[in-house]
Every structure is written in structure tokens, then in C-alpha cells.
Amino acid sequence: NLADQVKSDYMDYSMAVLIGRAIPDLYDGMKPAQRRVLQTMLEEGLQPDKRYVKCARVTGLTMAYYHPHGGCYGTLVNLATPWNNNVPWIDGHGNFGSSVDGPAAERYTECKLRPSAVDLLLQDKATWETRDNYDGSRQEATRFNTAVPSVLLNGDAGIAVGFATRLAPHSLRSVVEATKLACKANAKPADLAKARETLIPDFPTGCDIVRDEQLQTYGETGSGSIRCRARVEATVQKRAGRAKDREVLTFTNLPPATNPEKIGEQVKDALEKGRFDGVAEVIDESDLTGDRVTVVAKPGVDSGLLARQLYAYTDLDTKYSAKTLVIDGLKPVELSPVEVCQKWFGWRMERLEIQFQHELDLRETRLEVVMGFLKAIDKIDAVIKVIRASQSPKEAVIELVSNRTLKFTSAQARAILEMRLRQLTNLDADELVSENAELDQRITELKVLIGDKAARTEFCFTQMGGLAKRHGEARRSQIIEPPDALEVGRQPGQRRSAVPSKPRFVKVDAKKGLVTQEKGPRGAMVMDRTEKLVLMTEDGTLRKVPSNFKGPISTDYSPVALAKRESEVTERSYLTVFILEGQLKAVVLSGADLCRANSKGKKWMPEGAEFHYFGEGSYTVPWVSPRKKKVELFPVNVRKGRPGAKGQKVANVEDVKLGAG
């Protein structure tokens, strides 16, 4: 059945995107492409103390061994850039770009692993969870044995079929501390509350985080809008001569994914629209030390109010929409940060048991061999006699095992045959005795760790504490209380500016459809800097522009039918009369509808209509019919409409003779 087949294929595709591409794993925090890049680098020996190699080599081998779906250079770059990660896994050398610029091509850049990747992710390779790679030639890791809940460290985003995730980054020290609180034996509600308070996101850019209800919601559910603000520092710019000193606002530690170049564009747009005033210059001073935007204020400006306006109208204050959706086994789950730590800890206990059992098997095997060496040294003459009497190595093993005096095991007998003569010296014998004691002690410790969950918990917490001390850093993002809000809404004509606003003198050429800015009030319209001008032309163009607008109103330079302040237009209604398809039509437009236009403009007459202007006197429009007496059309009889409406038919044009005026 076609429907069943399509459903089955689409589900397979959906799961492949969900699990094999877009959503990170709960337990090691990796997407498949990221995991494959790191595994390739480990297997190629790109250790922190080794030399750098070309990124093209790493990406090429990754595609050859594990990832044939396409290039993974972007994945490698994301794992290396410090402005994207609290704990970068890759040490990049060369031009890896910036928060705005892209990196150089992979043939020019180099990389190797960072110590953090080796210590936190890539330990105990022998006990990784693995599967066959795409062609069955290698074993590919499906999950690393991470020593901390790394899914919370660096943040990530992904869009799958029907699912999306956006993980918020956290400090390594905060994650370790919260895990200890939430996962200790007999954790109390107070411990869980403290863990939630500890797991406040920490962004690599170091932006401030506002403590509000959404932040609390994120801590409880894993989803919420985290309000991020750039930090600001005010200084005074000294100027020579008669020039007045100016205050300078320097914004650093920008919110994540904020383009400093875009800040300047947003300030310019806000100034053009009259949202605020008082800015003399905006400078992007970003460099290798980080992103930085400087705003130079005009003399006499209230810098505090200007800063609040900049926060209100630009990305200097923005929200990070977090959603903690991860893959648990083969299922997407949405968890809170504390629940992530708890689930990871349960998995970690199981993995530690497997790792300790694997190490125990190796240690017991080695102990058996060391004990055989010691016995062989003690009875070296008998051993040599047996070996010399044997015809082949296989026969020698059998004789050493079956000899009643020696009684070696098969493993000991094979090791003795491969033993070098130098191991018969007293020095090597002493080393074997010391190694034997160490193995005995470690085996005892491993048996305790395997059999006692409390011992494993203590080991896990101790290990995490050491890693946090070595690779963790102090919080970058500071928690601040909600700042004073700047009311964006305002009444028409009400000023809100950082500097006392001088009026603008605007002149409208009604015949040419042009707006100009004048130096004085003579013959001009006096407007507040924050006021808007509503313009209507006879070709049907309707625009609402800021007070500093100048230029043609419409592309056809059509005559102007209406040019008034927004505050004047809002409270009125306008009767418009036009000819459409041989009929005289009329419609009443409310001023509020006219003021909903924007600076780009829109059509207020239907397509193909011809406008007739009767002046701004009475709302009475006289017209004469050849078959009737003089009639007056009153606006009460005309239905209201919206810009673009076809209007109400008044008469056929061929029957109407328009009166004077």
C-alpha cells in the first residue's frame, strides 16, 4: 500500500534526522558528526602535546572513516571557537573567524585536541559504546564515556523533523557542583533547589543575565527565554577648543550571536524613525579580545537614558530562547537541567561499573603473569631444563603446565617463553615484586568500586571535582536584577529623547509631491523630532514617515492630497471620492486606519481608480445630474471602509456633472 510505504519511509527519514544528525545525545552531549570528528582526531594521535595538522586532513579522514554524508569542517570549527564554547574541545591554529566573520578554508587552518577533550570525553576508549561504521570496516563510537554532563557545557542547537532544540551553555564548575547536589545519596528538596539555582546559564561572551520569571521557568522545565544584556561603561571624551565634552558608552560582553555591525544599523534605523535622539557616532571596535561597540553621545545628553534607549531598540538587550531537548537512547526527551544531571549520573554509574570490570580483568590477567615471572625466577634452573628438553614452543608450554614441580598456568607458560633474559636480574625481580604488590592493591580497590555504589559515587564526585579545578573557569555571565524598563509605547506628540529636542521644519510641495527639510519655520510645518507625518498622494500612495524624511513621496511624483501630523490625522475621518470602472464612488476612511501605514507606503485607493479632490472645507460634496436637481452628498450616507476598499457607488460618471469646486 502506497500510503503505508510513504508513512514507513518518512518515519525512517525522521528518525535518521532526529538521532543521526540534529539532536545531541543526553549522555555525552555530542551529535554524530561532532563525535566522529573527535574520534578521528584521537585515533590519528592529535594529542595536545603533539604538533598541529591541517584541518583538511582531519575532515577528509572523518569522511573516509565515519561520515560519508558531506563535509564536516563547520562542525570542527564550532568545536574550536571560544566564543561558541565554554569548554572548547579542539585547539584551532590559524584564522578561525570571529563572531561575525567566517573561518579561512580548511586547507589553511590547523588543529589538534585540547586537554579538556582528552580528560572529559575521550578516556577509556576500550569501553566506549560502539557499532560498525557505514561500510563495516571500523568500529564507530555511539557514545563517549564522558566524565561530566557535557551536554550542558557549551550549548547547541538543532532542527529535526517535528523537533528542535536549543541548549543553553553552563559553566563547568556550576555543572559539577549542581550534579553533586542533585545526585548525592538522600538528596533533599533543598539540595535540588540549590542545584537549580546553581545551573543558571553562563554564556561564553560573558553577557549579563537578568533574573526574572522566565529564568526561573528555565531552571524548572529546561525551556524559557533567558534575557541577556551587554555590559556598559560610561566615560567622558575630552575635546579641544570650544568643543564641548561628550559622554561615551562602551558596550562589551554582547549577548550570544549578536553582530556588532548590526548594532550600528539598528541605531541608525531608530534615529531615522525618531525613536530617540542624542547619538553622534557609533563605532564597532571589535578585535581579537572580543566584540565591543562604542556609542558617542551628543553634548548635554543624559547618558543613562540614552543607554536604556539603546537597550530597548537594539540587540544589546535580547532574549535567548532555550529548549533542552536531547536524545535519551532512541527517544527525544525534554528535561530540566537538574533532570539532565540526574539521568546522566545514573548512566555514569553503570559505565563506571563496566570500566572498572574491564580494568579488573586486565589487572588480574597481568597479576597472573607477574606471579608466573616471580615463580620462574625462583625456579629458573628447572624452567630452563624443561624448555631445553622441549622440541617446540608448543611442547614447552605443555611441559611447563603439566610439570608437577612448576605448575604454571597456560598464560604464565606463554609469557615465560617470551620473557627476556634481562628480567632474570635482581633489579627486574625487585620491580616485579613491587608491581605484584601494586596489582594486589588495585584489584582490591576495583572489587570494592564494582560492588559498592557509594564508593563509585565518591569516585565520580572526586574525579569531577578534579576536572572542574583543572579545566573550569569562574562564571563569565553575572546575574543582575531586572533593570528599569523603558516604556516603548507613547502618546502621539509626547517627547522621549535623551537630549532636549529641537523642532524640525518640514515643507511639503503639494504639486510636485516632494518633502523638504527647512532651516526655519517660515512657510514650513513645525514638527517634533519624534512626530510622524502622514502623506497621501493622488496616485493612491499612503505613507507615514518620520519628521526628518525628505524626498519624493511616490515614484510618480504625484500631487499631494493630504499632509498632516499623525496626531492630527488620528482623531479625524476623511471622505474620499474617486472614479472606478465608470462609476463615481466614495468611502470614509478613519484617521486611525490611515496612520497604520508605514514608511514604505501602501495603496489607499483600489487599483485603477482615479482620485477627485474637493478641498478641505465642508464634508458636503455637490454634484449635478442632467435628470435631477442639484444634490448634496453627505458623508453620513457613505459607509466606512479601509484603505484599498472599492467604496460605495454614488452614481454613474456619465450621468454626473460635477459642480464648481
Side-chain angles (χ1 to χ4, degrees):
N1 182 276
L2 181 60
D4 293 340
Q5 185 64 40
V6 170
K7 181 178 179 181
S8 174
D9 291 347
Y10 189 74
M11 286 299 297
D12 291 344
Y13 162 73
S14 302
M15 292 301 293
V17 174
L18 190 69
I19 298 171
R21 186 189 308 172
I23 311 298
D25 185 80
L26 165 62
Y27 302 109
D28 70 353
M30 296 281 111
K31 295 179 181 178
Q34 297 170 336
R35 193 180 296 115
R36 290 162 179 166
V37 168
L38 293 175
Q39 180 177 354
T40 301
M41 295 180 71
L42 180 68
E43 292 175 346
E44 290 300 304
L46 305 183
Q47 296 288 343
D49 57 343
K50 304 296 183 181
R51 65 182 180 87
Y52 293 97
V53 302
K54 290 289 186 182
C55 292
R57 171 180 168 182
V58 174
T59 57
L61 291 174
T62 302
M63 287 188 287
Y65 294 156
Y66 306 114
H67 193 74
H69 314 293
C72 49
Y73 182 52
T75 300
L76 188 153
V77 170
N78 287 336
L79 294 173
T81 49
W83 54 87
N84 285 332
N85 303 280
N86 282 327
V87 186
W89 305 124
I90 294 177
D91 184 1
H93 182 253
N95 178 14
F96 273 73
S98 67
S99 60
V100 178
D101 306 309
E106 57 188 329
R107 60 185 179 273
Y108 300 122
T109 55
E110 299 177 326
C111 66
K112 62 181 179 179
L113 291 171
R114 283 182 179 266
S116 55
V118 176
D119 293 345
L120 272 66
L121 298 180
L122 304 176
Q123 293 290 341
D124 304 303
K125 184 176 184 294
T127 58
W128 286 354
E129 299 175 63
T130 62
R131 67 180 179 191
D132 287 342
N133 68 340
Y134 69 95
D135 63 357
S137 61
R138 287 172 172 261
Q139 285 297 299
E140 171 190 353
T142 58
R143 195 174 286 150
F144 294 144
N145 292 330
T146 53
V148 296
S150 58
V151 70
L152 295 175
L153 292 182
N154 293 326
D156 208 344
I159 300 176
V161 181
F163 292 91
T165 185
R166 196 179 189 197
L167 305 176
H170 298 75
S171 163
L172 173 59
R173 293 181 181 178
S174 298
V175 170
V176 170
E177 182 182 350
T179 303
K180 291 181 178 180
L181 288 169
C183 303
K184 67 181 182 180
N186 302 319
K188 300 177 181 179
D191 296 321
L192 298 180
K194 189 174 181 181
R196 281 194 296 270
E197 182 66 22
T198 303
L199 281 175
I200 293 178
D202 182 27
F203 292 95
T205 61
C207 61
D208 289 337
I209 296 176
V210 178
R211 188 188 301 276
D212 55 13
E213 293 181 0
Q214 283 293 315
L215 183 63
Q216 183 178 353
T217 301
Y218 168 77
E220 294 172 352
T221 65
S223 298
S225 296
I226 303 165
R227 187 177 173 188
C228 304
R229 284 168 62 95
R231 295 179 187 172
V232 62
E233 180 181 354
T235 56
V236 177
Q237 183 186 73
K238 298 293 184 180
R239 305 175 75 192
R242 290 186 174 183
K244 296 181 179 180
D245 295 343
R246 302 187 297 189
E247 290 200 60
V248 178
L249 297 174
T250 302
F251 293 92
T252 57
N253 302 95
L254 305 186
T258 297
N259 186 338
E261 296 176 358
K262 188 179 178 182
I263 299 296
E265 298 174 2
Q266 292 173 334
V267 172
K268 180 181 177 182
D269 182 63
L271 291 172
E272 290 178 351
K273 293 181 178 178
R275 288 175 173 169
F276 59 84
D277 205 345
V279 175
E281 191 177 5
V282 181
I283 308 170
D284 179 9
E285 296 183 341
S286 302
D287 54 22
L288 293 176
T289 62
D291 294 334
R292 184 168 58 254
V293 177
T294 297
V295 178
V296 181
K298 292 180 179 179
V301 169
D302 179 355
S303 60
L305 177 57
L306 179 58
R308 293 200 298 273
Q309 290 171 331
L310 290 168
Y311 280 129
Y313 291 111
T314 68
D315 288 343
L316 294 170
D317 185 330
T318 187
K319 290 187 177 181
Y320 184 96
S321 298
K323 184 177 182 181
T324 311
L325 181 80
V326 291
I327 297 297
D328 183 3
L330 298 177
K331 182 175 65 175
V333 293
E334 190 172 342
L335 304 170
S336 70
V338 171
E339 290 172 337
V340 169
C341 294
Q342 291 173 328
K343 278 185 165 290
W344 174 87
F345 183 75
W347 168 83
R348 179 64 173 164
M349 289 295 99
E350 296 176 1
R351 298 311 303 173
L352 282 176
E353 185 176 355
I354 293 172
Q355 292 171 37
F356 291 145
Q357 184 62 55
H358 179 263
E359 184 183 354
L360 178 63
D361 294 341
L362 294 178
R363 299 275 182 175
E364 288 179 339
T365 300
R366 177 60 183 171
L367 179 63
E368 180 183 356
V369 171
V370 169
M371 292 177 66
F373 284 160
L374 292 173
K375 184 190 294 187
I377 292 173
D378 187 50
K379 300 180 179 181
I380 188 63
D381 294 334
V383 170
I384 292 175
K385 183 177 180 181
V386 170
I387 293 174
R388 292 188 64 183
S390 301
Q391 299 296 320
S392 65
K394 185 176 181 180
E395 182 181 342
V397 170
I398 296 173
E399 290 296 328
L400 289 172
V401 171
S402 60
N403 189 287
R404 293 182 179 180
T405 305
L406 300 176
K407 296 182 180 180
F408 289 112
T409 65
S410 297
Q412 290 173 337
R414 286 191 294 270
I416 288 169
L417 287 177
E418 297 173 1
M419 183 174 63
R420 297 177 182 178
L421 290 177
R422 69 172 178 81
Q423 291 180 268
L424 300 177
T425 63
N426 290 333
L427 179 62
D428 279 356
D430 292 342
E431 290 178 355
L432 289 172
V433 171
S434 176
E435 183 182 0
N436 184 77
E438 291 176 0
L439 288 170
D440 274 333
Q441 180 181 352
R442 182 57 180 166
I443 288 172
T444 302
E445 293 174 356
L446 290 171
K447 288 181 178 179
V448 172
L449 289 169
I450 292 172
D452 187 355
K453 184 178 179 180
R456 287 202 307 278
T457 300
E458 182 64 26
F459 172 86
C460 180
F461 288 171
T462 302
Q463 184 187 48
M464 291 170 64
L467 293 172
K469 186 175 181 180
R470 180 180 180 187
H471 301 291
E473 296 181 359
R475 281 190 62 89
R476 297 179 174 93
S477 295
Q478 302 302 316
I479 313 302
I480 62 174
E481 297 303 319
D484 294 336
L486 175 67
E487 294 295 334
V488 177
R490 61 180 175 82
Q491 296 298 323
Q494 182 182 2
R495 289 204 300 263
R496 187 186 65 251
S497 177
V499 66
S501 202
K502 295 181 180 180
R504 296 188 187 276
F505 306 112
V506 180
K507 190 172 183 179
V508 180
D509 189 331
K511 292 183 179 180
K512 296 181 180 179
L514 287 172
V515 178
T516 58
Q517 297 284 318
E518 302 296 318
K519 294 184 179 180
R522 186 174 179 180
M525 195 182 308
V526 182
M527 296 186 65
D528 187 278
R529 285 174 177 262
T530 59
E531 182 64 285
K532 300 291 179 65
L533 184 64
V534 178
L535 302 166
M536 181 189 291
T537 61
E538 292 186 9
D539 67 352
T541 300
L542 176 64
R543 299 181 68 177
K544 184 174 68 173
V545 298
S547 60
N548 63 347
F549 175 82
K550 58 183 178 180
I553 302 169
S554 69
T555 55
D556 296 330
Y557 292 85
S558 177
V560 178
L562 178 69
K564 288 185 178 292
R565 299 181 185 86
E566 180 185 7
S567 56
E568 297 178 11
V569 175
T570 304
E571 300 173 355
R572 298 186 180 185
S573 294
Y574 292 85
L575 172 68
T576 60
V577 182
F578 51 86
I579 296 174
L580 179 63
E581 298 175 353
Q583 296 177 344
L584 183 67
K585 293 194 172 186
V587 64
V588 174
L589 302 178
S590 71
D593 287 336
L594 297 182
C595 290
R596 291 192 179 97
N598 52 38
S599 59
K600 294 183 179 179
K602 62 181 181 180
K603 290 292 184 180
W604 66 268
M605 279 196 311
E607 196 68 33
E610 180 184 352
F611 175 69
H612 276 271
Y613 181 57
F614 295 97
E616 295 188 11
S618 169
Y619 282 112
T620 300
V621 180
W623 57 275
V624 180
S625 170
R627 292 191 295 268
K628 296 182 181 180
K629 296 180 181 180
K630 186 175 180 179
V631 180
E632 292 183 350
L633 174 64
F634 196 69
V636 174
N637 300 326
V638 179
R639 289 192 294 268
K640 289 186 177 181
R642 295 205 171 179
K646 291 188 176 181
Q648 174 184 347
K649 177 183 175 183
V650 176
N652 293 321
V653 175
E654 60 184 13
D655 297 333
V656 175
K657 181 180 179 181
L658 294 177

